Amino acid sequence: QLRFFEVSMPNSELLYSWLFIPFLIFAARICDVTIGTMRVIFLAKGYKRLAPFLGFFEVIIWLVAIRQVMMHLENAACFLAYGLGFATGNYVGMMLEEKLSLGLVILRIVFRKNSDDFIDFMRKSNMGYTLIDGEGNSEKVKIFLSVLKRSDLKEVLPALRKYNPGAFYTIEDVKNASEGIFRGTE
C-alpha cells in the first residue's frame, strides 16, 4: 500500500524525506540530464573521445537518482523532483551548449542590396568566405557562403544587421571542414 502523505513522522524525518531527498533527486537529475544533453551534442559535433567520458558520469549520477526514487516510492515529491530535474537538465544542457559555442557552422546569405561593406568587414576580420552571383525570383542576387567557428557568429551577425539589415540568411551546423580560412589559425 502506497502512502503518499505520511503525517505521523517527526519533523526532522519529515524534512529529510519530503525536502532533502527530493532536492537530491532534483539536483542529480539536472546534472545527469545536462551531461547527457552535452554528450549527445558532442557526439553530433564529432567529439568522439569526450562523449564516452561524459556518459560514464551521466549513468553514475542517474543511478544515484533512480535509487533514491525507488527507495522512496511512497513519496510523491520524489516523483515530481525526478520529472522537474529532467526538464531543467534539458534546458541547462542546451543553454550550456549555446554558451560554449562549440564547433563550426555554415552561414549562407542572399544579398539583394550591395554587400561591399559586409564583405570588407569579413576580409578585415580574417574570416573566409565565397561570394557567388545568383539569380532570385525577380532579381540578381549575391550568394555568400562562409564556414565559421560558432563563436564568431556573435560578431558576424551584428555586422550583417548593421551593413545589410534586409539580407536573408541561414545557419547550419557543420561536422567537419578542411582547407578553409578560420580566424585565429594560420
Side-chain angles (χ1 to χ4, degrees):
Q1 176 183 2
L2 293 176
R3 292 172 281 157
F4 285 102
F5 299 102
E6 186 71 49
V7 183
S8 63
M9 292 184 205
N11 279 342
S12 63
E13 212 177 309
L14 195 66
L15 283 174
Y16 179 78
S17 69
W18 285 87
L19 289 177
F20 180 73
I21 294 297
F23 178 76
L24 176 69
I25 293 167
F26 176 72
R29 286 302 282 161
I30 289 173
C31 291
D32 91 83
V33 175
T34 297
I35 292 170
T37 302
M38 295 303 297
R39 179 183 54 79
V40 169
I41 290 166
F42 287 150
L43 277 172
K45 292 185 182 293
Y47 294 92
K48 295 175 186 169
R49 293 179 190 206
L50 185 56
F53 178 75
L54 291 175
F56 171 80
F57 290 102
E58 174 190 359
V59 169
I60 296 297
I61 296 168
W62 178 82
L63 285 171
V64 169
I66 199 66
R67 180 178 185 268
Q68 290 302 315
V69 170
M70 298 307 274
M71 287 176 57
H72 299 90
L73 288 174
E74 75 287 349
N75 188 339
C78 291
F79 293 100
L80 290 173
Y82 190 86
L84 286 171
F86 179 82
T88 305
N90 276 294
Y91 180 78
V92 170
M94 290 185 299
M95 294 297 105
L96 184 59
E97 190 272 338
E98 192 174 295
K99 294 288 183 206
L100 290 174
S101 295
L102 296 172
L104 300 172
V105 295
I106 185 165
L107 173 63
R108 288 184 196 90
I109 306 171
V110 177
F111 290 110
R112 291 189 302 258
K113 294 192 258 177
N114 186 328
S115 59
D116 292 345
D117 291 338
F118 181 74
I119 298 302
D120 285 342
F121 163 80
M122 291 296 290
R123 190 174 294 121
K124 288 175 184 169
S125 299
N126 195 33
M127 291 188 242
Y129 64 88
T130 300
L131 194 60
I132 305 167
D133 289 326
E135 190 172 322
N137 200 19
S138 60
E139 59 193 328
K140 301 280 185 197
V141 296
K142 293 281 189 185
I143 301 167
F144 171 93
L145 303 167
S146 183
V147 176
L148 304 165
K149 294 177 185 176
R150 181 180 291 277
S151 59
D152 288 337
L153 285 175
K154 294 174 198 157
E155 225 178 298
V156 172
L157 292 180
L160 177 62
R161 288 184 199 104
K162 176 182 175 184
Y163 297 123
N164 209 308
F168 171 78
Y169 69 91
T170 60
I171 300 169
E172 291 180 41
D173 282 330
V174 173
K175 190 168 183 176
N176 292 310
S178 66
E179 302 299 322
I181 297 172
F182 299 100
R183 182 166 52 180
T185 59
E186 301 299 320

